[in-house]
């Protein structure tokens, strides 16, 4: 019989088996530090579907900010929905039970049948842009080097401020940049910012800011099948600015550290083809859903989603 229950530490070994089978052998989801980080946020949950002492599905959720009808609010972001194909319906049971429990929800990066299911329950679609570009690397990638180097010092002369959430000396400056974003315009987001960026196990994040225009982006560095990539997951443009200078800076960083791919995964409509980025054929979509309220206008930023959780740190 299928049972839905909260994740507990005694399930770690079984959860690791489930992730290796149903996500990938080299997944980050089952790493103890990643799980500890997810569970340390008080506005979160971690549920698993169990059949005869075997995990057959999982779903994680955490409260993150969005802009709803012009006002910042906190919504439950549902992510890491996976199920064992041998146990059909386990993932959907996890999802529907949570949808009934939570009013305001972020449903990000859905494709195929899941995206169709989100639309059928009345979710509002948020325009997303996913594209990638191949870069000629100048050296062999070393995660140790990029962790130890100060990108701020290396690229300051090019006219950009580059900050890392793992550099304690840059914390106050990075916090100022984040608090300047529309998404974080009031104190209800303080706990989320602390957990997302400054927890000891949070994924490494870099912020690139062009001081002249105050336009900025956030990116992470991850790996897939041993191939490193840069992922731009938040893009904040001021007025009519285009992202060319910011993207050029990120591409320069990627090439300098031996990273051959730059991926842009943002919840906004930006034409990247003119900068030689190739759009995804199957574009992941983001949604906002409320069980009780009418949503006229909704903005979601990649900062609020899990798209950059697979950073290499």
């Amino acid at each position: 019989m299928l049972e839905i229950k909260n994740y507990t530490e005694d399930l770690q070994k079984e959860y690791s088996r489930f992730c290796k089978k149903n996500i990938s052998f080299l997944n980050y989801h089952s790493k103890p530090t990643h799980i500890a980080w997810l569970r340390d946020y008080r506005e979160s949950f971690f549920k698993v579907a169990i059949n005869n002492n075997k995990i057959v599905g999982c779903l994680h959720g955490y409260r993150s900010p969005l802009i709803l009808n012009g006002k910042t609010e906190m919504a439950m972001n549902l992510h890491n929905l996976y199920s064992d194909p041998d146990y059909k319906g386990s993932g959907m049971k996890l999802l529907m039970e949570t949808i009934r429990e939570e009013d305001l929800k972020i449903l990000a990066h859905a494709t195929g049948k899941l995206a169709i299911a989100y639309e059928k329950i009345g979710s509002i679609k948020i325009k997303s842009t996913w594209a990638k570009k191949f870069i000629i690397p100048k050296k062999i990638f070393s995660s140790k080097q990029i962790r130890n180097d100060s990108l701020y010092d290396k690229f300051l002369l090019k006219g950009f401020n580059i900050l890392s959430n793992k550099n304690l000396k840059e914390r106050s400056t990075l916090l100022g940049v984040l608090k300047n974003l529309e998404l974080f315009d009031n104190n209800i987001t303080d706990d989320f910012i602390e957990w997302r960026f400054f927890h000891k196990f949070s994924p490494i994040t870099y912020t690139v800011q062009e001081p002249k225009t105050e336009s900025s982006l956030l990116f992470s560095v991850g790996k897939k099948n041993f191939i490193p990539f840069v992922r731009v997951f938040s893009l904040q443009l001021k007025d009519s600015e285009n992202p060319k200078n910011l993207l050029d800076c990120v591409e320069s960083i990627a090439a300098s550290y031996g990273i051959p791919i730059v991926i842009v995964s943002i919840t906004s409509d930006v034409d990247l083809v003119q900068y030689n980025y190739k759009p995804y054929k199957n574009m992941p979509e983001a949604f906002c859903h409320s069980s009780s309220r009418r949503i006229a206008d909704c903005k979601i930023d990649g900062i609020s989603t899990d798209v950059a959780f697979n950073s290499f740190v």
Side-chain angles (χ1 to χ4, degrees), residues 3-247:
E3 178 187 7
I4 306 298
K5 62 184 296 185
N6 291 323
Y7 175 90
T8 52
E9 290 184 4
D10 60 297
L11 293 171
Q12 200 279 325
K13 186 175 181 180
E14 171 59 19
Y15 182 64
S16 177
R17 180 207 62 80
F18 169 82
C19 291
K20 287 178 179 178
K21 178 188 177 185
N22 298 287
I23 302 177
S24 73
F25 188 81
L26 297 174
N27 71 87
Y28 69 90
H29 308 71
S30 59
K31 288 183 178 180
T33 51
H34 181 71
I35 294 174
W37 175 63
L38 293 178
R39 299 180 72 203
D40 240 12
Y41 184 35
R42 63 182 181 180
E43 294 286 346
S44 70
F45 69 82
F46 189 172
K47 294 181 179 180
V48 291
I50 296 179
N51 188 293
N52 293 325
N53 298 317
K54 182 179 180 181
I55 293 179
V56 297
C58 67
L59 176 64
H60 179 255
Y62 61 94
R63 214 166 291 283
S64 61
L66 52 66
I67 299 174
L68 186 64
N69 301 331
K71 180 183 177 182
T72 298
E73 294 194 35
M74 301 297 287
M76 186 57 75
N77 190 326
L78 305 184
H79 78 110
N80 273 10
L81 174 63
Y82 292 99
S83 61
D84 189 324
D86 295 333
Y87 295 85
K88 291 184 178 180
S90 57
M92 191 56 65
K93 184 174 181 179
L94 274 166
L95 178 64
M96 296 312 296
E97 181 176 296
T98 305
I99 284 177
R100 286 193 296 268
E101 292 174 353
E102 297 288 340
D103 177 25
L104 189 59
K105 298 165 286 292
I106 296 173
L107 311 164
H109 320 314
T111 58
K113 292 181 179 180
L114 186 58
I116 294 172
Y118 286 163
E119 288 196 84
K120 284 185 176 180
I121 63 173
S123 303
I124 303 298
K125 186 186 295 187
I126 311 298
K127 179 65 179 179
S128 298
T129 300
W130 286 58
K132 59 186 175 181
K133 183 176 183 178
F134 292 95
I135 307 296
I136 299 175
K138 296 180 179 178
K139 61 166 67 172
I140 296 175
F141 175 73
S142 167
S143 59
K144 183 177 180 180
Q145 183 180 5
I146 194 171
R147 278 198 298 264
N148 293 339
D149 280 1
S150 173
L151 299 185
Y152 179 86
D153 293 337
K154 282 199 168 190
F155 290 88
L156 181 61
L157 295 177
K158 296 188 177 182
F160 297 95
N161 290 331
I162 303 178
L163 307 169
S164 167
N165 65 329
K166 296 301 179 181
N167 189 331
L168 296 179
K169 294 179 181 178
E170 298 172 353
R171 176 185 169 115
S172 61
T173 306
L174 175 57
L175 186 58
V177 172
L178 292 171
K179 294 290 283 186
N180 193 44
L181 302 181
E182 183 184 8
L183 189 69
F184 301 128
D185 69 347
N186 62 48
N187 294 333
I188 67 170
T189 60
D190 287 353
D191 286 348
F192 171 79
I193 292 175
E194 185 67 28
W195 170 75
R196 176 62 182 84
F197 295 102
F198 302 116
H199 188 282
K200 63 180 179 180
F201 295 139
S202 64
I204 190 168
T205 299
Y206 297 97
T207 300
V208 181
Q209 184 183 44
E210 196 172 10
K212 290 183 179 179
T213 64
E214 292 190 347
S215 293
S216 63
L217 61 76
L218 276 73
F219 75 89
S220 63
V221 178
K223 280 185 180 179
K224 185 174 183 180
N225 299 328
F226 302 104
I227 299 176
F229 61 87
V230 161
R231 185 188 300 278
V232 175
F233 62 95
S234 178
L235 180 62
Q236 311 287 335
L237 299 177
K238 299 295 182 179
D239 301 322
S240 60
E241 284 293 316
N242 67 58
K244 184 179 186 308
N245 290 340
L246 291 169
L247 291 175

